[in-house]
Amino acid sequence: MKTSIAIIGAGIAGITLARALAPSADVTIFEKSRGLGGRMANRRREGFTFDHGAQYFTARSPAFRSVAEDAIKAGHAGIWPKAVHTLRADGLVVDSRPPEPRYIGLPGMSGFANGLAEGLQIRKEATVAALKRTEHGWALTDSEGQDFGRFDLVLSTAPAPQTIRLMPEAFSGREALASVRMSGCFTLMIGLDEPLDLSFQAARIEDDVLSWIAVEGSKPGRGEKEALTIHSRNDWAEANLERDRDEVKSEMLASLTRLLGLDFSNAAWLDLHRWRYASVEKPAGQAFLFDEALGLGACGDWCLGNRVEAAVESATALSELLTTRLQGA
Ligand SMILES: Cc1cc2nc3c(=O)[nH]c(=O)nc-3n(C[C@H](O)[C@H](O)[C@H](O)COP(=O)(O)OP(=O)(O)OC[C@H]3O[C@@H](n4cnc5c(N)ncnc54)[C@H](O)[C@@H]3O)c2cc1C
């Protein structure tokens, strides 16, 4: 009988892991949300489209580049050719360097994950709340005690602060998990009735509150309607995480007005998303965590860095170890 593996999380790490392990094991992904992709997320409201998590991803390793190029051929990804400038209080600093390819999902960022997940066994809206060791492997349950089954191995790709809550005291990776620091982010989404005439399509922002702005329509395959996605700084989000959402929105809008000289407070669509764990401030510094004796492992961007590519690298490294182990079993 094949080894049964439960993977917690259908972000890019969980999907990468499942694709690599599925040929040699019986793999099920449990994902708490309705959609796939985790922080590679998008939202469609009133005809406006927003990538409210990751904006684009790079693919520097030949293996991941080939995955990204295959996704382009399959229509699940595209290249965003726009330059990323820098917006400061004293104006726009234009970046004229030729950019390395910036990949995006199609039709929104989660499209990349959806394409890669085709054929995988995934249980959506299934939040794993507890792991219990039994005679027949690890028993997974949700917060109401609903039984998700027994598995020989459990691999968590949830952000480190969430993974540590699931892992037993005896898990050998607890110290590494506890050393990880992640920070939050607020995403402001603005939909407009009229097109804007901005001198840039994407910019990093040097400001006390904001860090990023993108004009969604400049990405291939997005809607026709004018939509802006704005991210707060991570340190500002950390200091304001529990603050009233309307106040957060107002402060982000005020900063935008200062920078662009435009008032968006009466925009056709205004929305705010809070990411509790957006960015990795201090990674674990090891490619993955795996406790052979317990049959428990963990991976994700928080192992190595702060980007989609770090998540892929971490999941690939764990899958390589496990594939060798499974094929030798
Ligand atoms: C605002 C923002 C902007 C970003 N910009 C960029 C960028 O431009 N470029 C870039 O490369 N990266 C960017 N990133 C980072 C990038 O999104 C992440 O590095 C990457 O998506 C992490 O993938 P992951 O699979 O490790 O984790 P995640 O995407 O977080 O996936 C973890 C999954 O686990 C699920 N989960 C958690 N707990 C449970 C549970 N108990 N049971 C079941 N499921 C569970 C979650 O719902 C989630 O789907 C950005 C992130 C944010 C938030």
Side-chain angles (χ1 to χ4, degrees), residues 87-100:
L87 185 59
R88 305 194 312 208
D90 58 355
L92 189 73
V93 181
V94 171
D95 184 3
S96 52
R97 289 172 299 174
E100 67 181 310

Side-chain angles (χ1 to χ4, degrees), residues 8-13 30-33 37-40 52-57 126-128 157-159 162 166 185 187 231 275 278 300-301 306-308 311:
I8 301 172
I12 190 66
F30 294 90
E31 168 53 52
K32 71 175 176 186
S33 308
R39 280 170 275 159
M40 296 182 81
H52 60 293
Q55 296 297 292
Y56 62 85
F57 58 95
T127 303
V128 177
T157 68
Q162 295 173 324
L166 288 171
C185 179
T187 303
H231 289 154
W275 295 98
D301 62 345
N306 193 22
R307 319 195 62 73
V308 168

Side-chain angles (χ1 to χ4, degrees), residues 215-238:
V215 179
E216 291 290 353
S218 66
K219 298 176 185 173
R222 301 315 193 251
E224 296 284 297
K225 292 175 87 174
E226 190 79 318
L228 303 175
T229 298
I230 293 106
H231 289 154
S232 74
R233 288 173 62 107
N234 296 110
D235 56 356
W236 186 82
E238 277 298 298

Side-chain angles (χ1 to χ4, degrees), residues 8 39 131 154-183 277 279-291 294 296-304 314 318:
I8 301 172
R39 280 170 275 159
L131 311 179
V154 181
L155 310 171
S156 175
T157 68
Q162 295 173 324
T163 290
I164 200 169
R165 277 181 233 138
L166 288 171
M167 291 296 180
E169 285 301 321
F171 179 58
S172 59
R174 281 194 79 86
E175 203 176 314
L177 278 169
S179 73
V180 174
R181 270 195 296 112
M182 297 186 72
S183 59
Y277 303 113
S279 184
V280 182
E281 301 296 332
K282 181 171 173 286
Q286 30 188 314
F288 57 83
L289 307 175
F290 187 63
D291 187 321
L294 291 181
L296 294 175
C299 67
D301 62 345
W302 51 267
C303 282
L304 291 171
S314 167
L318 177 55

Side-chain angles (χ1 to χ4, degrees), residues 187-235:
T187 303
L188 182 64
M189 290 158 271
I190 303 178
L192 299 165
D193 285 329
E194 298 294 328
L196 274 179
D197 186 21
L198 293 176
S199 54
F200 60 88
Q201 303 295 315
R204 294 193 178 84
I205 302 178
E206 288 181 9
D207 178 59
D208 294 340
V209 176
L210 306 180
S211 69
W212 170 263
I213 177 167
V215 179
E216 291 290 353
S218 66
K219 298 176 185 173
R222 301 315 193 251
E224 296 284 297
K225 292 175 87 174
E226 190 79 318
L228 303 175
T229 298
I230 293 106
H231 289 154
S232 74
R233 288 173 62 107
N234 296 110
D235 56 356

Side-chain angles (χ1 to χ4, degrees), residues 230-274:
I230 293 106
H231 289 154
S232 74
R233 288 173 62 107
N234 296 110
D235 56 356
W236 186 82
E238 277 298 298
N240 291 278
L241 269 186
E242 305 308 331
R243 203 166 153 198
D244 176 83
R245 300 292 174 96
D246 286 336
E247 285 179 23
V248 169
K249 217 189 267 182
S250 301
E251 203 162 323
M252 289 180 73
L253 281 168
S255 286
L256 202 55
T257 301
R258 262 198 321 272
L259 284 158
L260 298 180
L262 297 167
D263 177 13
F264 296 106
S265 48
N266 292 318
W269 180 259
L270 266 182
D271 202 1
L272 186 78
H273 181 84
R274 185 187 81 157

